[in-house]
Coordinates of all heavy atoms in Angstrom, one line a residue:
M1 N 7.3 11.0 -15.5 CA 7.2 11.7 -14.2 C 5.9 12.3 -14.0 O 5.4 12.3 -12.9 CB 8.4 12.7 -14.1 CG 9.8 12.2 -14.0 SD 10.0 11.1 -12.6 CE 10.0 12.2 -11.2
K2 N 5.3 12.9 -15.0 CA 4.0 13.5 -14.9 C 2.9 12.5 -14.5 O 2.1 12.7 -13.7 CB 3.6 14.3 -16.2 CG 4.3 15.6 -16.4 CD 3.9 16.3 -17.7 CE 4.6 17.5 -17.9 NZ 4.2 18.2 -19.1
R3 N 3.0 11.4 -15.2 CA 2.0 10.3 -14.9 C 2.2 9.8 -13.5 O 1.2 9.5 -12.8 CB 2.2 9.2 -16.0 CG 1.7 9.5 -17.3 CD 1.9 8.4 -18.4 NE 1.3 7.2 -17.9 CZ 1.8 6.0 -18.3 NH1 2.8 5.9 -19.1 NH2 1.2 4.9 -17.8
L4 N 3.5 9.6 -13.1 CA 3.7 9.1 -11.7 C 3.2 10.1 -10.7 O 2.5 9.7 -9.7 CB 5.2 8.9 -11.5 CG 5.6 8.3 -10.2 CD1 4.9 7.0 -9.9 CD2 7.1 8.2 -10.1
R5 N 3.4 11.4 -10.9 CA 2.9 12.4 -10.0 C 1.4 12.4 -9.9 O 0.8 12.5 -8.9 CB 3.5 13.8 -10.4 CG 3.0 14.9 -9.4 CD 3.5 16.2 -9.8 NE 2.9 17.2 -8.8 CZ 3.1 18.5 -8.9 NH1 3.8 19.0 -9.9 NH2 2.5 19.3 -8.1
A6 N 0.8 12.3 -11.1 CA -0.7 12.3 -11.2 C -1.2 11.1 -10.4 O -2.3 11.2 -9.8 CB -1.1 12.3 -12.6
A7 N -0.5 10.0 -10.5 CA -1.0 8.7 -9.8 C -0.8 8.8 -8.3 O -1.6 8.3 -7.5 CB -0.3 7.5 -10.4
I8 N 0.3 9.4 -7.9 CA 0.7 9.4 -6.4 C -0.2 10.4 -5.7 O -0.7 10.0 -4.5 CB 2.2 9.8 -6.3 CG1 3.1 8.7 -6.7 CG2 2.5 10.2 -4.8 CD1 4.5 9.0 -6.8
T9 N -0.5 11.5 -6.2 CA -1.3 12.5 -5.5 C -2.6 12.0 -4.9 O -2.8 12.2 -3.7 CB -1.5 13.8 -6.4 OG1 -0.2 14.3 -6.8 CG2 -2.2 14.9 -5.7
P10 N -3.5 11.4 -5.7 CA -4.7 11.0 -5.1 C -4.5 9.9 -4.0 O -5.3 9.8 -3.1 CB -5.5 10.4 -6.3 CG -4.6 10.3 -7.4 CD -3.4 11.2 -7.1
V11 N -3.5 9.1 -4.2 CA -3.2 8.0 -3.2 C -2.8 8.7 -1.8 O -3.3 8.3 -0.8 CB -2.1 7.0 -3.6 CG1 -1.7 6.1 -2.5 CG2 -2.6 6.3 -4.9
L12 N -1.9 9.7 -1.9 CA -1.5 10.4 -0.7 C -2.7 11.1 -0.1 O -2.9 11.1 1.2 CB -0.4 11.4 -1.0 CG 0.9 10.7 -1.4 CD1 1.9 11.8 -1.8 CD2 1.5 9.9 -0.3
E13 N -3.5 11.7 -0.9 CA -4.7 12.4 -0.4 C -5.7 11.4 0.3 O -6.2 11.7 1.4 CB -5.4 13.2 -1.5 CG -4.7 14.4 -2.0 CD -5.2 15.0 -3.2 OE1 -6.2 14.4 -3.8 OE2 -4.8 16.1 -3.5
A14 N -5.9 10.2 -0.3 CA -6.7 9.2 0.4 C -6.1 8.7 1.7 O -6.9 8.5 2.7 CB -7.0 8.1 -0.6
G15 N -4.8 8.6 1.7 CA -4.2 8.2 2.9 C -4.4 9.2 4.1 O -4.7 8.8 5.2
L16 N -4.3 10.4 3.7 CA -4.5 11.5 4.7 C -6.0 11.5 5.2 O -6.3 11.6 6.4 CB -4.1 12.8 4.2 CG -2.6 13.0 3.9 CD1 -2.4 14.3 3.2 CD2 -1.9 13.0 5.3
R17 N -6.9 11.3 4.2 CA -8.3 11.4 4.5 C -8.7 10.2 5.5 O -9.6 10.4 6.3 CB -9.1 11.3 3.2 CG -10.5 11.8 3.2 CD -11.1 12.0 1.8 NE -10.9 10.9 0.9 CZ -10.1 11.0 -0.2 NH1 -9.5 12.1 -0.5 NH2 -10.0 9.9 -1.0
H18 N -8.0 9.1 5.4 CA -8.3 8.0 6.2 C -7.4 7.8 7.4 O -7.3 6.7 8.0 CB -8.4 6.7 5.4 CG -9.5 6.7 4.4 ND1 -10.8 6.5 4.7 CD2 -9.5 7.0 3.0 CE1 -11.5 6.6 3.6 NE2 -10.7 7.0 2.6
G19 N -6.6 8.8 7.8 CA -5.8 8.8 9.0 C -4.5 8.1 8.9 O -3.9 7.8 9.9
G20 N -4.0 7.8 7.7 CA -2.7 7.2 7.5 C -2.7 5.7 7.6 O -3.8 5.1 7.8
T21 N -1.5 5.1 7.6 CA -1.4 3.7 7.6 C -0.6 3.2 8.8 O 0.5 3.6 9.0 CB -0.6 3.2 6.3 OG1 -1.3 3.7 5.2 CG2 -0.4 1.7 6.3
T22 N -1.3 2.5 9.7 CA -0.7 1.9 10.8 C -0.4 0.4 10.6 O -1.3 -0.4 10.3 CB -1.6 2.0 12.1 OG1 -1.8 3.4 12.3 CG2 -0.9 1.4 13.3
L23 N 0.9 0.0 10.6 CA 1.2 -1.4 10.4 C 1.3 -2.1 11.7 O 1.1 -1.6 12.8 CB 2.6 -1.5 9.7 CG 2.6 -0.7 8.3 CD1 4.0 -0.8 7.7 CD2 1.6 -1.3 7.4
D24 N 1.6 -3.4 11.7 CA 1.6 -4.3 12.9 C 2.6 -3.8 14.0 O 2.4 -4.0 15.1 CB 2.0 -5.7 12.5 CG 0.9 -6.4 11.7 OD1 -0.3 -5.9 11.8 OD2 1.2 -7.4 11.1
D25 N 3.6 -3.1 13.6 CA 4.6 -2.6 14.5 C 4.1 -1.3 15.3 O 4.7 -0.9 16.3 CB 5.9 -2.3 13.9 CG 5.9 -1.1 12.9 OD1 4.8 -0.5 12.7 OD2 6.9 -0.9 12.2
L26 N 2.9 -0.8 14.9 CA 2.3 0.3 15.6 C 3.3 1.6 15.6 O 3.1 2.4 16.5 CB 1.8 0.0 17.0 CG 0.8 -1.2 17.1 CD1 0.4 -1.4 18.5 CD2 -0.4 -0.9 16.2
A27 N 4.2 1.6 14.7 CA 5.2 2.7 14.7 C 4.5 4.0 14.4 O 4.9 5.1 14.8 CB 6.3 2.5 13.7
Y28 N 3.4 4.0 13.7 CA 2.6 5.2 13.4 C 1.2 5.1 14.0 O 0.5 4.1 13.7 CB 2.5 5.4 11.9 CG 1.4 6.5 11.6 CD1 1.7 7.8 11.7 CD2 0.1 6.1 11.2 CE1 0.7 8.8 11.5 CE2 -0.8 7.1 11.0 CZ -0.5 8.4 11.1 OH -1.5 9.3 10.9
L29 N 0.8 6.0 14.8 CA -0.5 6.1 15.4 C -0.9 7.6 15.3 O -0.1 8.5 15.2 CB -0.6 5.7 16.8 CG -0.2 4.2 17.1 CD1 -0.1 3.9 18.6 CD2 -1.4 3.3 16.6
L30 N -2.2 7.8 15.3 CA -2.8 9.1 15.3 C -2.4 9.8 16.7 O -2.2 9.1 17.7 CB -4.3 9.1 15.1 CG -4.7 8.7 13.7 CD1 -6.1 8.3 13.6 CD2 -4.4 9.8 12.7
P31 N -2.5 11.1 16.8 CA -2.1 11.7 18.1 C -3.0 11.3 19.2 O -2.5 11.2 20.4 CB -2.4 13.2 17.8 CG -2.2 13.3 16.3 CD -2.7 12.0 15.7
D32 N -4.2 10.8 19.0 CA -5.1 10.3 20.1 C -4.9 8.8 20.3 O -5.6 8.2 21.1 CB -6.5 10.6 19.8 CG -7.0 9.9 18.5 OD1 -6.3 9.1 17.9 OD2 -8.2 10.1 18.2
G33 N -3.9 8.2 19.7 CA -3.5 6.8 19.9 C -4.3 5.8 19.0 O -4.0 4.6 19.1
R34 N -5.2 6.3 18.2 CA -5.9 5.3 17.3 C -5.0 5.0 16.1 O -4.1 5.7 15.7 CB -7.2 6.0 16.8 CG -8.3 6.1 17.8 CD -9.5 6.7 17.2 NE -9.3 8.0 16.6 CZ -9.6 8.4 15.4 NH1 -10.2 7.6 14.6 NH2 -9.3 9.6 14.9
A35 N -5.3 3.8 15.5 CA -4.6 3.4 14.3 C -5.2 4.1 13.1 O -6.4 4.3 13.1 CB -4.7 1.9 14.2
G36 N -4.3 4.4 12.2 CA -4.8 5.0 10.9 C -5.6 3.9 10.1 O -5.2 2.7 10.1
E37 N -6.7 4.3 9.5 CA -7.6 3.4 8.9 C -7.3 3.1 7.4 O -7.9 2.3 6.8 CB -9.0 3.8 9.0 CG -9.4 3.8 10.5 CD -10.9 4.3 10.7 OE1 -11.5 4.7 9.7 OE2 -11.3 4.3 11.9
Y38 N -6.2 3.8 6.9 CA -5.9 3.5 5.5 C -5.3 2.1 5.3 O -5.4 1.6 4.2 CB -4.9 4.6 5.0 CG -4.8 4.6 3.5 CD1 -5.9 5.0 2.7 CD2 -3.7 4.2 2.8 CE1 -5.8 4.9 1.3 CE2 -3.6 4.1 1.4 CZ -4.7 4.5 0.7 OH -4.6 4.5 -0.7
T39 N -4.8 1.5 6.4 CA -4.3 0.2 6.3 C -5.2 -0.8 5.6 O -4.8 -1.7 4.9 CB -3.9 -0.3 7.7 OG1 -3.2 0.7 8.4 CG2 -3.1 -1.6 7.7
Q40 N -6.5 -0.7 6.0 CA -7.5 -1.6 5.4 C -7.8 -1.4 3.9 O -8.4 -2.2 3.3 CB -8.8 -1.3 6.2 CG -8.7 -1.6 7.7 CD -9.8 -0.8 8.5 OE1 -10.8 -0.4 7.9 NE2 -9.5 -0.7 9.8
R41 N -7.2 -0.3 3.4 CA -7.5 0.0 2.0 C -6.2 -0.4 1.1 O -6.3 -0.2 -0.1 CB -7.8 1.5 1.8 CG -9.1 1.8 2.4 CD -9.4 3.3 2.4 NE -10.7 3.6 2.9 CZ -11.8 3.7 2.1 NH1 -11.7 3.6 0.8 NH2 -13.0 3.9 2.7
L42 N -5.1 -0.8 1.7 CA -4.0 -1.1 1.0 C -4.3 -2.2 0.0 O -5.0 -3.2 0.3 CB -2.8 -1.6 1.9 CG -2.3 -0.5 2.9 CD1 -1.2 -1.1 3.8 CD2 -1.8 0.7 2.1
R43 N -3.8 -2.1 -1.2 CA -4.1 -3.1 -2.3 C -3.1 -4.2 -2.4 O -3.4 -5.2 -2.9 CB -4.2 -2.3 -3.6 CG -5.4 -1.4 -3.7 CD -5.6 -0.8 -5.0 NE -6.7 0.1 -5.0 CZ -7.3 0.6 -6.1 NH1 -6.8 0.3 -7.2 NH2 -8.3 1.4 -6.0
A44 N -1.8 -3.9 -1.9 CA -0.8 -5.0 -2.0 C 0.0 -5.1 -0.7 O 0.1 -6.3 -0.2 CB 0.2 -4.6 -3.1
Y45 N 0.4 -4.1 -0.1 CA 1.3 -4.2 1.1 C 0.6 -5.0 2.2 O -0.5 -4.8 2.5 CB 1.7 -2.8 1.6 CG 2.8 -2.9 2.6 CD1 4.1 -2.9 2.3 CD2 2.5 -3.1 4.0 CE1 5.1 -3.1 3.2 CE2 3.5 -3.3 4.9 CZ 4.8 -3.3 4.5 OH 5.8 -3.5 5.5
G46 N 1.4 -6.0 2.7 CA 0.9 -6.8 3.8 C -0.1 -7.9 3.4 O -0.7 -8.5 4.2
R47 N -0.3 -8.0 2.1 CA -1.4 -8.9 1.6 C -0.8 -10.2 0.9 O -1.5 -10.7 0.0 CB -2.4 -8.2 0.7 CG -3.1 -7.0 1.5 CD -4.2 -6.4 0.7 NE -5.2 -7.4 0.5 CZ -5.6 -7.8 -0.7 NH1 -5.0 -7.4 -1.8 NH2 -6.5 -8.7 -0.8
T48 N 0.4 -10.6 1.2 CA 1.0 -11.7 0.6 C 0.1 -12.9 0.5 O -0.5 -13.3 1.5 CB 2.3 -12.1 1.4 OG1 3.1 -11.0 1.5 CG2 3.1 -13.2 0.6
G49 N -0.1 -13.5 -0.7 CA -0.9 -14.7 -0.9 C -2.4 -14.4 -1.0 O -3.1 -15.3 -1.5
Q50 N -2.8 -13.2 -0.7 CA -4.2 -12.9 -0.8 C -4.5 -12.4 -2.3 O -3.6 -12.0 -2.9 CB -4.6 -11.8 0.1 CG -4.5 -12.2 1.6 CD -4.9 -11.0 2.5 OE1 -5.8 -10.3 2.2 NE2 -4.1 -10.9 3.6
P51 N -5.7 -12.6 -2.8 CA -5.9 -12.2 -4.2 C -5.8 -10.7 -4.4 O -6.3 -9.9 -3.6 CB -7.4 -12.7 -4.4 CG -8.0 -12.8 -3.1 CD -6.9 -13.1 -2.1
C52 N -5.2 -10.3 -5.5 CA -5.2 -9.0 -6.0 C -6.6 -8.4 -6.0 O -7.5 -9.1 -6.6 CB -4.5 -8.9 -7.3 SG -4.6 -7.2 -8.1
R53 N -6.9 -7.3 -5.5 CA -8.2 -6.7 -5.6 C -8.7 -6.3 -7.0 O -9.9 -6.1 -7.2 CB -8.3 -5.5 -4.6 CG -8.1 -5.9 -3.2 CD -8.1 -4.7 -2.3 NE -7.5 -5.0 -1.0 CZ -8.0 -4.8 0.1 NH1 -9.1 -4.2 0.3 NH2 -7.3 -5.1 1.2
R54 N -7.8 -6.3 -7.9 CA -8.1 -5.9 -9.3 C -8.3 -7.2 -10.2 O -9.2 -7.2 -10.9 CB -7.0 -5.1 -9.8 CG -7.2 -4.5 -11.2 CD -6.0 -3.8 -11.6 NE -6.2 -2.8 -12.7 CZ -5.2 -2.2 -13.3 NH1 -4.0 -2.4 -12.9 NH2 -5.5 -1.4 -14.3
C55 N -7.4 -8.2 -10.0 CA -7.4 -9.3 -11.0 C -7.5 -10.7 -10.3 O -7.6 -11.7 -11.0 CB -6.2 -9.2 -11.9 SG -4.6 -9.7 -11.1
G56 N -7.3 -10.8 -9.0 CA -7.4 -12.0 -8.3 C -6.1 -12.8 -8.2 O -6.0 -13.8 -7.5
T57 N -5.0 -12.4 -8.9 CA -3.7 -13.1 -8.8 C -3.2 -12.9 -7.3 O -3.3 -11.8 -6.8 CB -2.7 -12.5 -9.8 OG1 -3.2 -12.6 -11.1 CG2 -1.4 -13.1 -9.7
P58 N -2.6 -14.0 -6.7 CA -2.1 -13.8 -5.4 C -1.0 -12.8 -5.3 O -0.1 -12.7 -6.2 CB -1.5 -15.2 -5.1 CG -2.3 -16.2 -5.9 CD -2.6 -15.4 -7.2
I59 N -1.0 -12.0 -4.3 CA 0.0 -10.9 -4.1 C 1.3 -11.6 -3.7 O 1.3 -12.5 -2.9 CB -0.5 -9.9 -3.0 CG1 -1.8 -9.2 -3.4 CG2 0.6 -9.0 -2.6 CD1 -1.6 -8.3 -4.6
E60 N 2.4 -11.1 -4.2 CA 3.7 -11.6 -3.9 C 4.5 -10.6 -3.1 O 4.2 -9.4 -3.1 CB 4.5 -12.0 -5.2 CG 3.9 -13.1 -5.9 CD 4.7 -13.5 -7.1 OE1 5.9 -13.1 -7.3 OE2 4.2 -14.3 -7.9
R61 N 5.5 -11.2 -2.3 CA 6.4 -10.3 -1.5 C 7.8 -10.6 -1.9 O 8.2 -11.8 -2.0 CB 6.2 -10.7 0.0 CG 7.1 -9.9 0.9 CD 6.9 -10.4 2.4 NE 7.9 -9.8 3.2 CZ 9.1 -10.4 3.6 NH1 9.4 -11.6 3.1 NH2 9.9 -9.8 4.4
I62 N 8.6 -9.6 -2.0 CA 10.0 -9.7 -2.2 C 10.7 -8.7 -1.3 O 10.0 -7.8 -0.7 CB 10.5 -9.4 -3.7 CG1 10.0 -8.0 -4.1 CG2 9.9 -10.4 -4.6 CD1 10.6 -7.6 -5.4
V63 N 12.0 -8.9 -1.0 CA 12.7 -8.0 -0.2 C 13.7 -7.2 -1.0 O 14.4 -7.7 -1.8 CB 13.5 -8.7 0.9 CG1 14.3 -7.7 1.8 CG2 12.5 -9.5 1.8
V64 N 13.6 -5.8 -1.0 CA 14.4 -5.0 -1.7 C 15.2 -4.1 -0.7 O 14.5 -3.3 0.1 CB 13.6 -4.1 -2.7 CG1 14.5 -3.1 -3.5 CG2 12.8 -4.9 -3.6
T65 N 16.5 -4.2 -0.7 CA 17.3 -3.5 0.3 C 16.7 -3.5 1.7 O 16.5 -2.5 2.4 CB 17.6 -2.0 -0.1 OG1 16.3 -1.3 -0.3 CG2 18.3 -1.9 -1.4
Q66 N 16.4 -4.8 2.1 CA 16.0 -5.1 3.5 C 14.6 -4.5 3.8 O 14.2 -4.4 4.9 CB 17.0 -4.6 4.5 CG 18.3 -5.3 4.3 CD 19.4 -4.8 5.3 OE1 19.2 -3.7 5.9 NE2 20.4 -5.6 5.5
R67 N 13.8 -4.2 2.7 CA 12.4 -3.7 3.0 C 11.5 -4.6 2.2 O 11.7 -5.0 1.0 CB 12.3 -2.3 2.4 CG 13.2 -1.2 3.1 CD 12.9 -1.1 4.6 NE 11.5 -0.7 4.9 CZ 11.2 0.5 5.3 NH1 12.0 1.4 5.5 NH2 9.9 0.7 5.5
S68 N 10.4 -4.9 2.8 CA 9.4 -5.7 2.1 C 8.7 -4.9 1.1 O 8.3 -3.8 1.3 CB 8.3 -6.2 3.2 OG 8.8 -7.1 4.1
T69 N 8.5 -5.6 -0.1 CA 7.8 -5.0 -1.2 C 6.7 -6.0 -1.6 O 7.0 -7.1 -1.9 CB 8.7 -4.7 -2.3 OG1 9.7 -3.7 -1.9 CG2 8.0 -4.1 -3.5
H70 N 5.5 -5.5 -1.7 CA 4.4 -6.4 -2.1 C 3.8 -5.9 -3.4 O 3.7 -4.7 -3.6 CB 3.3 -6.4 -1.0 CG 3.8 -6.8 0.3 ND1 4.5 -6.0 1.1 CD2 3.7 -7.9 1.0 CE1 4.8 -6.6 2.3 NE2 4.3 -7.8 2.2
F71 N 3.5 -6.9 -4.3 CA 3.0 -6.5 -5.6 C 2.2 -7.6 -6.2 O 2.3 -8.8 -5.8 CB 4.2 -6.1 -6.5 CG 5.0 -7.3 -6.8 CD1 4.9 -8.0 -8.0 CD2 6.0 -7.7 -5.9 CE1 5.7 -9.1 -8.3 CE2 6.8 -8.8 -6.2 CZ 6.7 -9.5 -7.4
C72 N 1.4 -7.2 -7.2 CA 0.6 -8.2 -8.0 C 1.5 -8.5 -9.3 O 1.7 -7.5 -10.0 CB -0.7 -7.7 -8.4 SG -1.5 -8.7 -9.6
P73 N 1.9 -9.7 -9.5 CA 2.8 -10.0 -10.7 C 2.0 -9.8 -12.0 O 2.7 -9.7 -13.0 CB 3.2 -11.4 -10.4 CG 2.2 -12.0 -9.5 CD 1.7 -10.9 -8.7
T74 N 0.7 -9.8 -12.0 CA 0.0 -9.6 -13.2 C -0.2 -8.1 -13.5 O 0.1 -7.7 -14.6 CB -1.4 -10.3 -13.1 OG1 -1.2 -11.7 -12.9 CG2 -2.2 -10.1 -14.4
C75 N -0.6 -7.4 -12.5 CA -0.9 -5.9 -12.7 C 0.4 -5.1 -12.7 O 0.4 -4.0 -13.3 CB -1.8 -5.4 -11.6 SG -3.5 -6.1 -11.6
Q76 N 1.4 -5.6 -12.0 CA 2.7 -4.9 -11.9 C 3.8 -5.8 -12.3 O 4.7 -6.1 -11.5 CB 2.9 -4.4 -10.4 CG 1.7 -3.5 -10.0 CD 1.8 -3.3 -8.5 OE1 1.6 -4.3 -7.7 NE2 2.0 -2.1 -8.1
P77 N 3.9 -6.3 -13.5 CA 4.9 -7.2 -13.9 C 6.3 -6.5 -14.0 O 6.4 -5.3 -14.3 CB 4.5 -7.7 -15.3 CG 3.7 -6.5 -15.8 CD 3.0 -6.0 -14.6
A78 N 7.3 -7.3 -13.7 CA 8.7 -6.8 -13.8 C 9.0 -6.6 -15.3 O 8.6 -7.4 -16.1 CB 9.7 -7.8 -13.2
E79 N 9.7 -5.6 -15.6 CA 10.1 -5.4 -17.1 C 11.3 -6.1 -17.4 O 12.1 -6.4 -16.7 CB 10.2 -3.9 -17.3 CG 8.8 -3.2 -17.1 CD 8.9 -1.7 -17.4 OE1 8.7 -1.4 -18.6 OE2 9.2 -0.9 -16.6
Ligands
LIG101 ZN1 -3.6 -7.8 -10.1

């Protein structure tokens, strides 16, 4: 839990610093109507088939309880 918390905190801070994440559905926009720019920094989400930014393996997509989940099978292998 400590490791997870330590990993999540800087990601959330970076998301806030870059205005959040606006997906194709435009469900989230900044108060002035602009899209959040953190979307361009996502490492897996929405990048199905594109190379992992860390190792080059194509990003995969699965559906978990009706939600899309994107991951690198090399960097984030199932246990
Ligand atoms: Zn990877």
Side-chain angles (χ1 to χ4, degrees):
M1 290 302 289
K2 286 182 180 179
R3 288 178 52 208
L4 182 59
R5 181 179 177 186
I8 288 172
T9 301
V11 173
L12 292 175
E13 289 173 348
L16 292 171
R17 201 168 44 250
H18 295 282
T21 302
T22 299
L23 302 177
D24 290 341
D25 63 5
L26 304 180
Y28 167 79
L29 294 170
L30 291 163
D32 64 5
R34 288 181 302 127
E37 296 181 356
Y38 194 68
T39 313
Q40 299 157 18
R41 295 174 175 266
L42 297 178
R43 294 186 181 191
Y45 190 88
R47 301 189 62 245
T48 305
Q50 296 179 39
C52 171
R53 295 177 198 231
R54 184 183 199 190
C55 74
T57 301
I59 297 295
E60 294 186 10
R61 173 185 176 267
I62 58 172
V63 176
V64 179
T65 58
Q66 301 178 340
R67 301 296 303 251
S68 290
T69 299
H70 302 77
F71 65 100
C72 170
T74 300
C75 296
Q76 300 167 297
E79 295 186 88

